[in-house]
Amino acid sequence: MGALKPWHLIIVVVVLVILFGSKKLPDAARSLGRSMRIFKAETKALSEDGKDATADKADAQVTSQQPLDGQASAKPVVDPVQRQQH
């Protein structure tokens, strides 16, 4: 009773063709494909930016903790995010 039968899909396709027309369906599919491609590229760029920012923050923290001119620093530099997590 709950399963989709092949004739259910045929009815859906016929209704879509009647509503949107045979010329608009390929254009809609093409624009959907472009949108998905752009979305995928943007999410990949965001994840790469997040990894780069994390690596840059770690590098900055390591270099800021090194003493200058052989002097020992009085207080170690702690990232505020790390301080809240402890």
Side-chain angles (χ1 to χ4, degrees):
M1 181 172 178
L4 286 174
K5 307 271 185 200
W7 60 273
H8 289 138
L9 296 175
I10 291 171
I11 291 174
V12 169
V13 170
V14 168
V15 168
L16 287 174
V17 170
I18 289 172
L19 287 177
F20 297 108
S22 61
K23 289 188 178 186
K24 291 195 178 199
L25 285 176
D27 292 337
R30 195 173 303 117
S31 65
L32 180 65
R34 280 190 210 127
S35 299
M36 291 300 293
R37 201 172 316 124
I38 291 169
F39 179 74
K40 183 178 177 183
E42 290 297 323
T43 54
K44 183 178 179 183
L46 282 175
S47 66
E48 288 176 358
D49 287 345
K51 290 177 185 175
D52 291 344
T54 306
D56 290 342
K57 187 189 301 184
D59 289 343
Q61 186 177 4
V62 168
T63 57
S64 66
Q65 289 180 354
Q66 294 175 351
L68 300 174
D69 298 328
Q71 300 173 352
S73 63
K75 294 183 181 178
V77 178
V78 178
D79 187 21
V81 175
Q82 289 178 344
R83 190 174 344 152
Q84 290 177 355
Q85 290 176 352
H86 293 291

XYZ file of all heavy atoms in Angstrom:
651
model
N 0.811 -1.186 0.000
C 0.000 0.000 0.000
C 0.862 1.260 0.000
O 0.546 2.222 -0.658
C -0.916 -0.002 1.218
C -1.811 1.190 1.268
S -2.990 0.965 2.590
C -3.830 2.494 2.439
N 2.006 1.279 0.699
C 2.829 2.471 0.789
C 3.907 2.547 -0.281
O 4.603 3.543 -0.381
N 4.076 1.514 -1.066
C 5.162 1.481 -2.044
C 4.769 2.233 -3.315
O 3.611 2.265 -3.713
C 5.519 0.045 -2.385
N 5.774 2.847 -3.933
C 5.535 3.506 -5.217
C 5.558 2.470 -6.331
O 6.475 1.678 -6.429
C 6.603 4.563 -5.479
C 6.499 5.850 -4.677
C 7.711 6.726 -4.956
C 5.240 6.603 -5.005
N 4.579 2.524 -7.132
C 4.485 1.633 -8.288
C 4.950 2.407 -9.523
O 4.955 3.641 -9.532
C 3.041 1.173 -8.486
C 2.404 0.574 -7.266
C 2.649 -0.881 -7.211
C 1.852 -1.403 -6.008
N 2.267 -2.617 -5.527
N 5.334 1.716 -10.582
C 5.766 2.406 -11.803
C 4.696 3.329 -12.379
O 5.012 4.404 -12.892
C 6.092 1.267 -12.772
C 6.413 0.106 -11.896
C 5.570 0.274 -10.675
N 3.439 2.956 -12.255
C 2.411 3.829 -12.828
C 2.241 5.103 -12.002
O 1.809 6.128 -12.529
C 1.087 3.081 -13.006
C 0.474 2.529 -11.749
C 0.719 1.335 -11.164
C -0.497 3.187 -10.938
N -0.029 1.196 -10.035
C -0.801 2.325 -9.872
C -1.145 4.412 -11.013
C -1.700 2.664 -8.883
C -2.053 4.732 -10.026
C -2.324 3.863 -8.981
N 2.637 5.097 -10.713
C 2.630 6.325 -9.917
C 3.633 7.320 -10.487
O 3.340 8.510 -10.621
C 2.993 6.046 -8.460
C 1.950 5.318 -7.691
N 2.269 4.304 -6.820
C 0.603 5.438 -7.655
C 1.170 3.844 -6.276
N 0.145 4.518 -6.775
N 4.811 6.823 -10.808
C 5.852 7.691 -11.374
C 5.450 8.220 -12.744
O 5.734 9.376 -13.079
C 7.176 6.943 -11.451
C 7.770 6.527 -10.092
C 9.020 5.695 -10.295
C 8.059 7.741 -9.250
N 4.797 7.403 -13.536
C 4.331 7.839 -14.861
C 3.327 8.978 -14.710
O 3.386 9.972 -15.446
C 3.738 6.643 -15.643
C 4.848 5.668 -16.008
C 3.018 7.135 -16.902
C 4.358 4.363 -16.593
N 2.433 8.857 -13.754
C 1.443 9.913 -13.536
C 2.126 11.209 -13.104
O 1.784 12.295 -13.582
C 0.389 9.467 -12.497
C -0.482 8.365 -13.090
C -0.457 10.645 -12.039
C -1.449 7.747 -12.104
N 3.119 11.123 -12.244
C 3.844 12.309 -11.792
C 4.555 12.971 -12.973
O 4.516 14.201 -13.131
C 4.851 11.949 -10.675
C 5.785 13.093 -10.377
C 4.107 11.521 -9.427
N 5.187 12.195 -13.829
C 5.882 12.740 -14.995
C 4.896 13.417 -15.937
O 5.147 14.515 -16.448
C 6.691 11.629 -15.717
C 7.205 12.117 -17.061
C 7.838 11.177 -14.838
N 3.754 12.795 -16.177
C 2.743 13.378 -17.076
C 2.232 14.694 -16.503
O 2.092 15.683 -17.237
C 1.588 12.366 -17.311
C 0.409 13.040 -17.990
C 2.072 11.188 -18.140
N 1.984 14.743 -15.214
C 1.501 15.976 -14.593
C 2.559 17.079 -14.699
O 2.236 18.238 -14.997
C 1.108 15.727 -13.114
C 0.878 17.022 -12.375
C -0.126 14.846 -13.038
N 3.828 16.741 -14.466
C 4.898 17.736 -14.602
C 5.002 18.271 -16.021
O 5.189 19.474 -16.225
C 6.235 17.148 -14.162
C 6.420 16.960 -12.658
C 7.725 16.239 -12.378
C 6.383 18.290 -11.953
N 4.906 17.401 -17.005
C 4.976 17.832 -18.408
C 3.788 18.723 -18.743
O 3.941 19.743 -19.431
C 5.050 16.610 -19.360
C 4.867 17.021 -20.813
C 6.378 15.903 -19.180
N 2.618 18.381 -18.244
C 1.430 19.204 -18.525
C 1.558 20.574 -17.845
O 1.244 21.603 -18.453
C 0.145 18.478 -18.065
C -0.131 17.294 -18.983
C -1.049 19.431 -18.055
C -1.256 16.396 -18.498
N 2.033 20.600 -16.609
C 2.129 21.867 -15.880
C 3.221 22.779 -16.421
O 3.016 23.981 -16.592
C 2.380 21.609 -14.394
C 1.197 21.088 -13.592
C 1.632 20.802 -12.160
C 0.059 22.088 -13.598
N 4.400 22.246 -16.657
C 5.535 23.082 -17.022
C 5.859 23.070 -18.508
O 6.594 23.924 -18.978
C 6.777 22.652 -16.227
C 6.606 22.848 -14.751
C 6.444 21.768 -13.913
C 6.599 24.117 -14.213
C 6.287 21.938 -12.552
C 6.445 24.311 -12.849
C 6.283 23.211 -12.018
N 5.385 22.127 -19.242
C 5.696 22.058 -20.660
C 7.006 21.343 -20.916
O 7.893 21.294 -20.066
N 7.114 20.785 -22.096
C 8.302 19.993 -22.414
C 9.539 20.859 -22.643
O 10.663 20.372 -22.559
C 8.037 19.127 -23.645
O 7.739 19.955 -24.764
N 9.370 22.158 -22.929
C 10.534 23.019 -23.149
C 11.120 23.539 -21.847
O 12.315 23.770 -21.749
C 10.151 24.202 -24.047
C 9.897 23.795 -25.474
C 9.714 24.990 -26.362
C 9.512 24.525 -27.778
N 9.462 25.646 -28.715
N 10.299 23.742 -20.851
C 10.796 24.317 -19.597
C 11.433 23.283 -18.677
O 12.264 23.629 -17.845
C 9.668 25.028 -18.861
C 9.222 26.278 -19.566
C 8.393 27.125 -18.686
C 8.027 28.383 -19.450
N 7.619 29.444 -18.575
N 11.064 22.024 -18.793
C 11.629 21.002 -17.909
C 13.136 20.830 -18.082
O 13.861 20.782 -17.093
C 10.892 19.676 -18.076
C 9.505 19.625 -17.436
C 8.837 18.299 -17.740
C 9.584 19.839 -15.947
N 13.664 20.746 -19.316
C 15.137 20.641 -19.443
C 15.858 21.885 -18.928
O 16.925 21.781 -18.327
C 15.366 20.463 -20.943
C 14.084 19.937 -21.462
C 13.012 20.527 -20.602
N 15.265 23.065 -19.143
C 15.882 24.288 -18.621
C 15.903 24.284 -17.099
O 16.883 24.698 -16.476
C 15.121 25.523 -19.117
C 15.268 25.734 -20.609
O 16.268 25.232 -21.180
O 14.389 26.393 -21.206
N 14.811 23.822 -16.505
C 14.753 23.751 -15.049
C 15.780 22.759 -14.516
O 16.453 23.032 -13.516
C 13.352 23.355 -14.596
N 15.922 21.626 -15.165
C 16.904 20.625 -14.737
C 18.327 21.167 -14.895
O 19.185 20.951 -14.037
C 16.728 19.345 -15.533
N 18.575 21.894 -15.972
C 19.900 22.468 -16.207
C 20.233 23.515 -15.146
O 21.337 23.537 -14.608
C 19.934 23.094 -17.603
C 21.306 23.407 -18.112
C 21.293 23.866 -19.579
N 20.671 22.872 -20.434
C 19.542 23.071 -21.145
N 18.937 24.223 -21.112
N 19.049 22.117 -21.905
N 19.277 24.384 -14.837
C 19.537 25.410 -13.824
C 19.691 24.791 -12.442
O 20.491 25.262 -11.630
C 18.425 26.459 -13.814
O 17.207 25.877 -13.418
N 18.969 23.720 -12.154
C 19.136 23.018 -10.889
C 20.534 22.406 -10.793
O 21.187 22.475 -9.755
C 18.070 21.937 -10.732
C 18.118 21.115 -9.451
C 17.827 22.006 -8.254
C 17.121 19.982 -9.515
N 21.006 21.842 -11.894
C 22.360 21.280 -11.926
C 23.424 22.337 -11.698
O 24.387 22.117 -10.953
N 23.260 23.510 -12.321
C 24.212 24.603 -12.109
C 24.204 25.053 -10.652
O 25.253 25.297 -10.065
C 23.853 25.790 -13.002
C 24.312 25.651 -14.409
C 24.142 26.960 -15.161
N 23.910 26.657 -16.551
C 22.898 27.096 -17.281
N 22.013 27.894 -16.759
N 22.771 26.734 -18.530
N 23.005 25.181 -10.107
C 22.896 25.618 -8.708
C 23.571 24.629 -7.769
O 24.262 25.027 -6.824
C 21.428 25.772 -8.318
O 20.812 26.739 -9.124
N 23.380 23.344 -8.006
C 24.007 22.326 -7.168
C 25.533 22.364 -7.303
O 26.255 22.192 -6.326
C 23.487 20.930 -7.528
C 22.038 20.714 -7.158
S 21.709 20.904 -5.412
C 22.601 19.523 -4.769
N 26.027 22.606 -8.515
C 27.468 22.687 -8.744
C 28.063 23.888 -7.997
O 29.114 23.786 -7.359
C 27.742 22.802 -10.242
C 29.126 22.403 -10.637
C 29.327 22.344 -12.157
N 28.237 21.689 -12.838
C 27.524 22.238 -13.826
N 27.796 23.455 -14.236
N 26.561 21.567 -14.415
N 27.375 25.034 -8.048
C 27.846 26.227 -7.352
C 27.812 25.998 -5.847
O 28.755 26.346 -5.125
C 26.987 27.445 -7.750
C 27.269 27.816 -9.207
C 27.255 28.636 -6.832
C 26.300 28.831 -9.776
N 26.732 25.395 -5.352
C 26.601 25.120 -3.928
C 27.724 24.206 -3.455
O 28.337 24.444 -2.414
C 25.233 24.491 -3.657
C 25.001 24.153 -2.211
C 24.740 25.150 -1.286
C 25.043 22.842 -1.780
C 24.527 24.853 0.036
C 24.833 22.522 -0.453
C 24.571 23.534 0.462
N 28.033 23.183 -4.221
C 29.098 22.250 -3.851
C 30.453 22.957 -3.813
O 31.254 22.754 -2.890
C 29.134 21.095 -4.853
C 30.147 20.038 -4.533
C 30.098 18.911 -5.544
C 31.152 17.874 -5.277
N 31.152 16.815 -6.284
N 30.714 23.813 -4.806
C 31.983 24.535 -4.847
C 32.105 25.495 -3.663
O 33.177 25.613 -3.060
C 32.108 25.306 -6.160
N 31.008 26.167 -3.310
C 31.043 27.106 -2.195
C 31.245 26.392 -0.864
O 31.992 26.863 -0.006
C 29.767 27.950 -2.157
C 29.657 28.940 -3.300
C 30.753 29.985 -3.282
O 31.153 30.427 -2.189
O 31.215 30.351 -4.366
N 30.574 25.268 -0.657
C 30.752 24.547 0.600
C 32.171 23.988 0.708
O 32.747 23.974 1.794
C 29.730 23.409 0.754
O 29.792 22.552 -0.389
C 28.328 23.950 0.906
N 32.738 23.566 -0.413
C 34.113 23.075 -0.395
C 35.071 24.214 -0.063
O 35.992 24.040 0.733
C 34.466 22.471 -1.758
C 35.835 21.864 -1.821
C 36.105 21.239 -3.170
C 37.491 20.651 -3.232
N 37.799 20.111 -4.559
N 34.818 25.398 -0.622
C 35.680 26.552 -0.347
C 35.561 26.973 1.114
O 36.558 27.334 1.743
C 35.317 27.711 -1.264
N 34.358 26.917 1.664
C 34.173 27.282 3.068
C 34.906 26.317 3.992
O 35.526 26.733 4.973
C 32.694 27.303 3.426
C 31.914 28.529 2.960
C 30.435 28.359 3.271
C 32.449 29.776 3.615
N 34.836 25.029 3.684
C 35.521 24.060 4.538
C 37.031 24.217 4.435
O 37.751 24.073 5.422
C 35.092 22.634 4.197
O 35.527 22.275 2.908
N 37.536 24.533 3.260
C 38.969 24.755 3.101
C 39.402 26.029 3.821
O 40.461 26.072 4.431
C 39.342 24.833 1.621
C 39.280 23.493 0.923
C 39.560 23.595 -0.564
O 39.773 24.732 -1.070
O 39.557 22.561 -1.226
N 38.566 27.085 3.781
C 38.884 28.317 4.493
C 38.923 28.068 5.988
O 39.757 28.627 6.699
C 37.856 29.410 4.176
C 38.027 29.974 2.776
O 39.090 29.730 2.166
O 37.103 30.660 2.303
N 38.021 27.238 6.491
C 38.006 26.926 7.913
C 39.258 26.198 8.335
O 39.824 26.456 9.398
N 39.736 25.272 7.521
C 40.956 24.539 7.836
C 42.162 25.470 7.793
O 43.044 25.386 8.640
C 41.159 23.391 6.851
C 40.166 22.263 7.032
C 40.370 21.197 5.995
C 39.312 20.112 6.094
N 39.423 19.137 5.027
N 42.210 26.375 6.792
C 43.319 27.312 6.682
C 43.339 28.271 7.867
O 44.396 28.583 8.409
C 43.227 28.115 5.376
C 43.487 27.246 4.154
O 44.032 26.133 4.321
O 43.133 27.675 3.036
N 42.175 28.755 8.283
C 42.116 29.693 9.409
C 42.567 29.011 10.692
O 43.260 29.608 11.509
C 40.700 30.239 9.560
N 42.198 27.754 10.885
C 42.607 27.021 12.073
C 44.121 26.814 12.079
O 44.777 26.983 13.107
C 41.895 25.656 12.146
O 40.496 25.870 12.042
C 42.207 24.932 13.422
N 44.690 26.483 10.935
C 46.137 26.286 10.841
C 46.871 27.602 11.063
O 47.900 27.640 11.744
C 46.507 25.697 9.484
N 46.350 28.714 10.518
C 46.986 30.011 10.705
C 46.945 30.427 12.173
O 47.911 30.971 12.695
C 46.298 31.084 9.850
C 46.556 30.884 8.356
O 47.512 30.153 8.020
O 45.801 31.458 7.552
N 45.821 30.161 12.851
C 45.698 30.521 14.263
C 46.697 29.719 15.092
O 47.333 30.246 15.993
C 44.279 30.255 14.760
C 44.050 30.766 16.178
C 42.733 30.324 16.762
C 41.545 30.759 15.980
N 40.275 30.390 16.624
N 46.860 28.452 14.784
C 47.805 27.611 15.525
C 49.237 28.089 15.289
O 50.039 28.135 16.228
C 47.651 26.159 15.108
N 49.565 28.461 14.060
C 50.907 28.978 13.770
C 51.155 30.290 14.512
O 52.235 30.511 15.051
C 51.088 29.200 12.267
C 51.168 27.893 11.496
O 51.404 26.838 12.143
O 50.997 27.914 10.261
N 50.161 31.165 14.553
C 50.315 32.451 15.229
C 50.495 32.243 16.723
O 51.281 32.950 17.368
C 49.106 33.338 14.957
N 49.787 31.278 17.281
C 49.889 31.016 18.713
C 51.267 30.473 19.060
O 51.864 30.872 20.047
C 48.816 30.033 19.157
C 48.767 29.822 20.643
C 47.637 28.901 21.052
O 46.955 28.371 20.203
N 47.473 28.707 22.328
N 51.810 29.601 18.249
C 53.128 29.026 18.500
C 54.201 30.108 18.411
O 55.079 30.192 19.263
C 53.423 27.873 17.515
C 54.884 27.473 17.570
C 52.523 26.694 17.811
N 54.127 30.977 17.414
C 55.145 32.013 17.264
C 55.010 33.078 18.340
O 56.000 33.659 18.753
C 55.068 32.672 15.872
O 53.752 33.203 15.685
C 55.395 31.680 14.783
N 53.795 33.339 18.831
C 53.642 34.359 19.863
C 54.111 33.855 21.222
O 54.411 34.643 22.104
C 52.189 34.819 19.959
O 51.380 33.761 20.414
N 54.209 32.560 21.419
C 54.639 32.015 22.692
C 56.159 31.900 22.794
O 56.674 31.656 23.866
C 54.006 30.643 22.932
C 52.540 30.715 23.220
C 51.944 29.339 23.460
O 52.623 28.330 23.302
N 50.677 29.298 23.820
N 56.853 32.082 21.699
C 58.306 31.991 21.741
C 58.872 33.272 22.344
O 58.468 34.377 21.989
C 58.855 31.788 20.324
C 58.457 30.460 19.718
C 58.913 30.342 18.277
O 59.374 31.304 17.683
N 58.768 29.161 17.722
N 59.801 33.176 23.297
C 60.366 34.378 23.921
C 61.237 35.151 22.936
O 61.894 34.576 22.067
C 61.202 33.827 25.079
C 61.442 32.401 24.753
C 60.319 31.959 23.869
N 61.220 36.485 23.092
C 62.030 37.349 22.241
C 63.372 37.629 22.914
O 63.446 37.859 24.121
C 61.295 38.676 21.993
C 59.944 38.552 21.299
C 59.275 39.915 21.246
C 60.098 37.982 19.906
N 64.425 37.652 22.165
C 65.783 37.956 22.631
C 66.200 37.109 23.834
O 66.857 37.592 24.745
C 65.910 39.446 22.995
C 65.662 40.339 21.792
O 65.979 39.922 20.669
O 65.157 41.453 22.004
N 65.792 35.880 23.912
C 66.208 34.989 24.973
C 65.511 35.224 26.299
O 65.863 34.614 27.283
N 64.548 36.131 26.361
C 63.841 36.394 27.607
C 62.653 35.449 27.728
O 61.961 35.192 26.768
C 63.329 37.828 27.650
C 64.422 38.868 27.561
C 63.831 40.267 27.430
O 62.645 40.418 27.264
N 64.693 41.263 27.501
N 62.422 34.957 28.923
C 61.272 34.091 29.156
C 60.042 34.969 29.342
O 60.089 35.985 30.027
C 61.491 33.224 30.383
N 58.966 34.586 28.743
C 57.747 35.376 28.893
C 57.115 35.097 30.244
O 57.153 33.982 30.751
C 56.768 35.055 27.764
O 56.380 33.714 27.835
N 56.509 36.120 30.843
C 55.914 35.987 32.171
C 54.632 35.158 32.118
O 54.405 34.309 32.971
C 55.626 37.369 32.749
N 53.772 35.399 31.142
C 52.504 34.670 31.026
C 52.416 34.044 29.640
O 52.691 34.709 28.649
C 51.323 35.618 31.197
C 51.194 36.219 32.561
C 49.952 37.079 32.614
C 49.785 37.721 33.968
N 48.603 38.590 34.001
N 52.047 32.792 29.572
C 51.864 32.198 28.244
C 50.596 32.745 27.590
O 49.617 33.063 28.265
C 51.721 30.702 28.536
C 51.264 30.639 29.942
C 51.846 31.838 30.634
N 50.628 32.877 26.290
C 49.479 33.365 25.547
C 48.521 32.199 25.357
O 48.899 31.135 24.874
C 49.905 33.936 24.178
C 48.708 34.388 23.395
C 50.897 35.062 24.377
N 47.265 32.394 25.771
C 46.265 31.347 25.669
C 45.135 31.840 24.794
O 44.664 32.971 24.961
C 45.719 30.956 27.056
C 44.646 29.893 26.947
C 46.850 30.487 27.942
N 44.709 31.041 23.870
C 43.606 31.367 22.991
C 42.322 31.443 23.829
O 42.052 30.558 24.625
C 43.485 30.294 21.909
C 42.458 30.656 20.849
O 42.147 31.856 20.710
O 41.989 29.735 20.157
N 41.497 32.501 23.676
C 40.265 32.619 24.466
C 39.307 31.434 24.276
O 38.608 31.054 25.203
C 39.623 33.917 23.978
C 40.652 34.631 23.206
C 41.693 33.634 22.823
N 39.293 30.871 23.107
C 38.409 29.729 22.858
C 38.880 28.527 23.664
O 38.085 27.825 24.274
C 38.357 29.398 21.352
C 37.545 28.154 21.102
C 37.810 30.573 20.562
N 40.177 28.313 23.721
C 40.711 27.195 24.491
C 40.484 27.404 25.988
O 40.220 26.476 26.727
C 42.207 27.020 24.216
C 42.505 26.501 22.841
C 44.001 26.397 22.595
O 44.798 26.981 23.329
N 44.381 25.694 21.553
N 40.564 28.654 26.443
C 40.370 28.965 27.848
C 38.935 28.627 28.278
O 38.705 28.116 29.346
C 40.648 30.439 28.097
C 40.707 30.805 29.545
C 41.109 32.228 29.788
N 41.706 32.865 28.647
C 41.668 34.175 28.407
N 41.059 34.972 29.240
N 42.239 34.683 27.353
N 37.952 28.894 27.421
C 36.552 28.612 27.753
C 36.276 27.139 27.761
O 35.412 26.675 28.497
C 35.633 29.314 26.763
C 35.618 30.815 26.916
C 34.756 31.483 25.869
O 34.244 30.822 24.987
N 34.595 32.781 25.968
N 36.986 26.370 26.966
C 36.733 24.932 26.877
C 37.242 24.200 28.102
O 36.751 23.144 28.448
C 37.380 24.355 25.620
C 36.699 24.808 24.353
C 37.407 24.304 23.110
O 38.489 23.746 23.191
N 36.810 24.520 21.959
N 38.239 24.722 28.793
C 38.815 24.030 29.960
C 38.037 24.271 31.162
O 37.402 24.827 31.710
C 40.277 24.431 30.180
C 41.168 23.951 29.079
N 41.458 22.626 28.875
C 41.805 24.628 28.107
C 42.270 22.518 27.843
N 42.482 23.728 27.353
